Amino acid sequence: MSLVKIAVLDMNNNHANEGLRCILQIIRNVQGNDHVEFDYDVFDVRANNDIPDLEYDIYISSGGPGSPMASSDAWESRYFSLIDQIFDWNLHNERKKFVFLICHSFQLVVRHLDLGLLSRRKSTSFGIFPIHKTEEGCSEPLLNGLPDPFYAVDSRDYQITDPNEERMESIGARILCLEKLRPHVLLDRAVMSMRFSPEIIGTQFHPEADNEGMLRYFLKDEKRNHIISNFGQEKYDDMVSYLQQPDKIALTESIILPGFLRQAIHSLATVVGVPEVV
């Protein structure tokens, strides 16, 4: 049995997506390039109410469609129970559990922990945009190697604004990134990344997105026509151009999620002798 077990929480609710493929590819790449043995399982959270238990070392919770606002869905209370159990575990155990939350998952956990205001945007944010580091973000190890701003895929109808500073201070959470500067728009800038604890981090954007796969996806007639009809030819052309530039999402994809996995492995290695990434 592998010493490092990863739970991938699929939050796509049976909708076709590229994000899950990208997450699994990053796991395989780190496993192959760094000669680390992983066991990983995928849990269909929203469609099948399939929630992992605490036997895993690393949890990666994906983005997904639909509303992150409070609901009576059966999976939601079980999902939040898992999050609470992981926080509690990390308070009382030397061998920590590590969590990465992406987009929909990030919004859910911020809401659950009352760390900011979750609301619907006036319009959909969709594209490849600059992400700006905060002062805390400039000293965040997972963002080392990325310029300020860096670029990432952003696709959302909801946002986190108005951080609850008192609540954040009580648990030690820190805002790492904000959305692009919009001096002509009199609206708060959304929170784009937060470190919830030394072991738990989340992003509003999609750090898993890869340029090659996303480019293939956007060049499909159906997807191209959908983007152009909803967001315009200029937005489509910009996205295709950015997907071909190695200093945009390809750089982000190569640093953040692989870095998270390597940090987790390094920490686990210091506790139980897991072979450390060289």
Side-chain angles (χ1 to χ4, degrees), residues 11-39:
M11 305 292 281
N12 288 284
N13 203 21
N14 283 342
H15 288 259
N17 72 96
E18 286 290 298
L20 190 64
R21 175 191 62 78
C22 293
I23 291 169
L24 296 178
Q25 187 60 52
I26 288 172
I27 292 172
R28 296 185 193 108
N29 287 345
V30 171
Q31 182 176 24
N33 294 338
D34 300 328
H35 309 293
V36 177
E37 191 65 29
F38 291 143
D39 278 343

Side-chain angles (χ1 to χ4, degrees), residues 109-123:
V109 173
V110 170
R111 168 170 68 82
H112 174 61
L113 298 177
D114 190 26
L115 297 175
L117 175 65
L118 172 63
S119 64
R120 191 176 183 93
R121 288 176 51 86
K122 291 185 178 297
S123 61

Side-chain angles (χ1 to χ4, degrees), residues 128-129 151 237-246 248-249:
I128 298 172
F129 296 114
Y151 284 78
D237 291 342
D238 284 346
M239 292 183 68
V240 170
S241 173
Y242 282 162
L243 285 170
Q244 299 176 76
Q245 298 177 32
K248 296 296 191 297
I249 73 163

Side-chain angles (χ1 to χ4, degrees), residues 69-90:
M69 305 299 281
S71 76
S72 58
D73 294 340
W75 62 266
E76 187 170 293
S77 62
R78 296 186 63 217
Y79 179 80
F80 290 145
S81 176
L82 172 65
I83 297 298
D84 291 341
Q85 289 176 59
I86 292 172
F87 270 99
D88 185 65
W89 174 280
N90 287 342

